Amino acid sequence: MSAADTLKNLAIMSDWTLEERLMLAVSMQEVQVPAGTALLSEGQQAEAAYILCSGRLRVLSRGEILGVVDTVACFGEISCLLPETPVSATLVAETDCTAYRIPAQDLNAIAQRVPKLWRALFLQMSDRLKRANKRLAEILEHSPQGFLKLDRNAEVTNEYSTKCIEYLGNNPLSGFSLPELLHPGDAASAASWRSVFAMVFEDFGVPLSDLFDLLTPEARIEANGVLRDLRLQFHPIYDDDRRVVAVDIGIEDVTRERELERAGEAERGRQATLGKIYQNPDSFFTLLRLIDEVDSLCEGMLANLSGAAAPDANEAARLMRELHSLKGFSGNFALAALRHAAHEVETALGRSIAGDADASAGLAAAFAALRSAGAEGRLLKGLIDPSLVQRLEGVVLVPAQLEAMRAALAAGDTVTASRVLLASEAMDVKQLFACWPTDIERLCAELGKAARLEVYGSGGMVPKPVFMALDRVLVHALNNALDHGLEDMETRICAEKAPEGVISVMVEVGSDMLSLQIADDGRGSDFSSVVASARNNPALDQASVDAAVAAGEPWRVLLMPGFSTAGRLTGLSGRGVGLDALAGTIAKLGGQISIDSTPGQSFMLSCKVPLATPAPAGGEGSL
Amino acid sequence: MFPQTTLFLLVDDMEPLRRVVRAMLKNLGYTNVVEASSGQLAAQVLEKTFLIGRPVDVILSDWQMPGMTGIEFLELVRTTEQFAHLPFIMITAEGQREQILAAIQAGVSSYLMKPISPAVLEDKLKAVWLKMQQTGVAPGVGTGGASASAPAPAPTPVAT
């Protein structure tokens, strides 16, 4: 195609006469542009204009692709005709191209002789502008982010998109202070936001992302009656010397994402709870009984409570113990709300006993919160299949047992019949530790520690009352080992121990005796300092302390009810919290407990519980 | 990004934390790490490595240390001519916003909030490197292979 023919295909010269086109054609010189070479560079004055004949050109600004051209079109002519007007975009050949080059001075000469050229260029520019505006509007509409440009005073400039009006609720938005829109009614936060934002404009030598990270990345804002979660992204705008002159802020509505996340979390929590219930249903029923007991203890205390007076110490100690169990159990079943409410009551009660009148006055509210959390816990029972509830709450007889019992009863042999009955409800003792691996994982994550469980011994079946009684209190042994026994990873590394602690359980069921040992390889307990701190504690029965020392069993101090409670209230090491409850249960079962420890290395609880004579029904309450 | 020959100085009184950060640096391919358990010792390490001709390229220092604190060590570094421009990354405790702002005003190059994750460490190092490129601070990192003399980035043609 000749130069004059090419010009005929150029839309802006469609009304030029042949003579006018030939005038331009004589200055046109055909050039081959290999793929990858730049024809014009953004920001530089053009020495020539180009008309693309064949091939494909990529139009770029600041590295962003603005478009691709593959039709006959003219480039660089404005920069040629207007002095001090650099080229507005870079043109790079995407494929090998053929183009005509028109030197700037020739173009200027022709422009003087053909005034029509100016009109043509004007039309071309207005067309380009129209298309660019349309495209910009489309991009703003399609982007999930609304954009607003913020000046150095953190005020919205005249540049903001429609989405921002919708999200921030002000129309027009110009002049509004963004920190105040993000922190309505919180002048301190807004001021702090503004001061960090101001630092963006001064070069402190840190990456800008360091400063942006300190600005609110998300905000919950109500606009036009709609509450939204908004996520903010910061994009600095630089001048030619790479100084920040303003900041573009992309605002995205993430309400739906956050809602789904919250719902997902709640659902995962519910699933986790359900899983735990099916895994260890007996333990779940223990939890339900605990909720009831704590409820009635709270109610009793509330009835005797007058104003801001502290509650009765004995009553409080009992409630404290049950709360500790409730905390452990609700944690086991991933019931965060219940655990939190129990913790709050525990804290308030502790402060109240210590003489804090405000805490005493606040007890009723804490009790009420615990009660409603407990009620929610009870509802979980509804999630279990009713026939399963019946089986879990009742006794399951396998057909062979039923047959044996029928035969024994027919023969009048009630001893055999009751033996069958007892055997039918016997429980696998190792089941007591079934939840421990997941509990260890959860508690370790909370405490920033690492530990694993190792279970040894023959195991075996134990009568249900013994199982249920132990199930309620063994959680204290685990909590103690994890919370107070095992050190955190850094401390363990420093002490040249393996970073991961080991909790080992040894369980043997003999013909008439259950023997149980729970040990950890943590920091252990120094009995002499335990005794020393007990001596300084007026709340403790010093005669019992003396007796324990005289008997050569100083560790008994750890099992004294006052020791743990007082220790916790005064902020001393809490080693022994809840162990009194464990010791009490073992004693009720007619068993024995002892503690052995090597300071810095290990702590071991040993229990022996007789199995031959199960606790008589209706005896010492429901164990 | 910092070349693999970069020499890091790790300052923290807690040995386990130094071990953790050292392991993270190793995962990023950086094996040249010297350690110091206090600001005073770190100053000596800076001096010695400078004198033997293998100066430290990047400092990672904890804020909370007995004796000389991280911020005091930073001030010492910034007022010593030959180290004034060294990239200095402060390690701060979680949620210490005011502390971070003070560190920025005192002239750190970046900060790391505990607990440190490998991904964040990598991001921060990248950002500090990029910032050095942009501001033209040429620290002659490592063997000096990659220079930091690149000017403000020109519009990059996509295909070359």
Side-chain angles (χ1 to χ4, degrees), chain A residues 440-612:
Chain A
I440 288 173
E441 205 175 298
R442 175 178 54 82
L443 285 165
C444 278
E446 274 175 31
L447 297 165
K449 297 178 180 179
R452 66 171 194 278
L453 177 71
E454 290 177 356
V455 181
Y456 304 100
S458 61
M461 306 299 276
V462 294
K464 188 164 184 172
V466 173
F467 183 95
M468 299 304 277
L470 288 176
D471 191 28
R472 265 184 79 154
V473 287
L474 283 180
V475 64
H476 297 307
L478 176 64
N479 285 347
N480 257 291
L482 285 172
D483 202 356
H484 310 298
L486 290 182
E487 313 89 331
D488 58 38
M489 255 187 280
E490 286 187 2
T491 314
R492 286 183 70 91
I493 291 170
C494 285
E496 295 184 354
K497 286 179 167 186
E500 187 184 48
V502 178
I503 295 185
S504 37
V505 168
M506 172 81 169
V507 54
E508 297 274 358
V509 178
S511 58
D512 56 355
M513 187 71 80
L514 160 68
S515 120
L516 190 63
Q517 288 171 342
I518 300 168
D520 66 71
D521 65 346
R523 61 171 67 91
S525 182
D526 179 6
F527 297 146
S528 57
S529 57
V530 164
V531 170
S533 86
R535 295 251 192 252
N536 290 329
N537 186 346
L540 281 184
D541 174 16
Q542 293 297 328
S544 306
V545 177
D546 291 339
V549 174
E553 297 179 340
W555 45 264
R556 286 211 176 277
V557 174
L558 284 172
L559 305 175
M560 290 166 63
F563 184 78
S564 55
T565 319
R568 204 140 39 101
L569 291 177
T570 52
L572 290 171
S573 162
R575 180 100 222 189
V577 174
L579 287 188
D580 53 337
L582 175 60
T585 300
I586 300 286
K588 269 188 207 166
L589 291 171
Q592 284 170 337
I593 186 167
S594 68
I595 296 175
D596 192 10
S597 175
T598 311
Q601 286 181 28
S602 66
F603 187 92
M604 184 169 79
L605 256 172
S606 307
C607 311
K608 281 193 185 307
V609 178
L611 300 177

Side-chain angles (χ1 to χ4, degrees), chain A residues 310-311 316 320 347-357 359-360 565-566 568-570:
Chain A
M320 210 69 154
T347 313
L349 195 58
R351 296 223 316 264
S352 167
I353 299 169
D356 182 340
S360 304
T565 319
R568 204 140 39 101
L569 291 177
T570 52

Side-chain angles (χ1 to χ4, degrees), chain A residues 265-504:
Chain A
E265 222 161 85
E267 180 56 25
R268 272 194 299 279
R270 213 178 66 102
Q271 292 294 338
T273 301
L274 257 183
K276 297 272 192 175
I277 293 175
Y278 277 95
Q279 199 182 355
N280 201 344
D282 292 301
S283 179
F284 177 64
F285 284 100
T286 307
L287 169 69
L288 291 183
R289 275 193 294 277
L290 256 176
I291 293 176
D292 291 341
E293 271 164 47
V294 168
D295 243 17
S296 76
L297 278 174
C298 288
E299 212 168 299
M301 189 174 284
L302 212 52
N304 297 331
L305 212 58
S306 55
D312 174 71
N314 281 333
E315 254 183 81
R318 185 157 171 233
L319 179 54
M320 210 69 154
R321 239 189 344 258
E322 300 293 352
L323 281 170
H324 203 69
S325 299
L326 182 59
K327 248 171 76 175
F329 269 87
S330 48
N332 287 353
F333 286 97
L335 295 169
L338 183 58
R339 186 161 189 266
H340 178 74
H343 180 78
E344 291 295 299
V345 172
E346 205 183 27
T347 313
L349 195 58
R351 296 223 316 264
S352 167
I353 299 169
D356 182 340
D358 286 347
S360 304
L363 273 178
F367 285 166
L370 179 59
R371 167 166 295 215
S372 77
E376 265 174 52
R378 275 196 206 100
L379 288 179
L380 286 170
K381 199 170 151 186
L383 296 174
I384 317 178
D385 177 57
S387 70
L388 185 60
V389 172
Q390 201 185 350
R391 286 189 199 191
L392 292 172
E393 281 182 315
V395 173
V396 180
L397 285 180
V398 296
Q401 288 170 325
L402 190 63
E403 215 32 66
M405 221 169 112
R406 212 174 261 152
L409 286 176
D413 182 359
T414 50
V415 177
T416 305
S418 68
R419 200 169 286 149
V420 170
L421 208 52
L422 280 174
S424 73
E425 54 164 28
M427 310 280 290
D428 180 357
V429 72
K430 283 197 174 169
Q431 218 24 57
L432 284 170
F433 309 99
C435 276
W436 281 30
T438 41
D439 292 343
I440 288 173
E441 205 175 298
R442 175 178 54 82
L443 285 165
C444 278
E446 274 175 31
L447 297 165
K449 297 178 180 179
R452 66 171 194 278
L453 177 71
E454 290 177 356
V455 181
Y456 304 100
S458 61
M461 306 299 276
V462 294
K464 188 164 184 172
V466 173
F467 183 95
M468 299 304 277
L470 288 176
D471 191 28
R472 265 184 79 154
V473 287
L474 283 180
V475 64
H476 297 307
L478 176 64
N479 285 347
N480 257 291
L482 285 172
D483 202 356
H484 310 298
L486 290 182
E487 313 89 331
D488 58 38
M489 255 187 280
E490 286 187 2
T491 314
R492 286 183 70 91
I493 291 170
C494 285
E496 295 184 354
K497 286 179 167 186
E500 187 184 48
V502 178
I503 295 185
S504 37

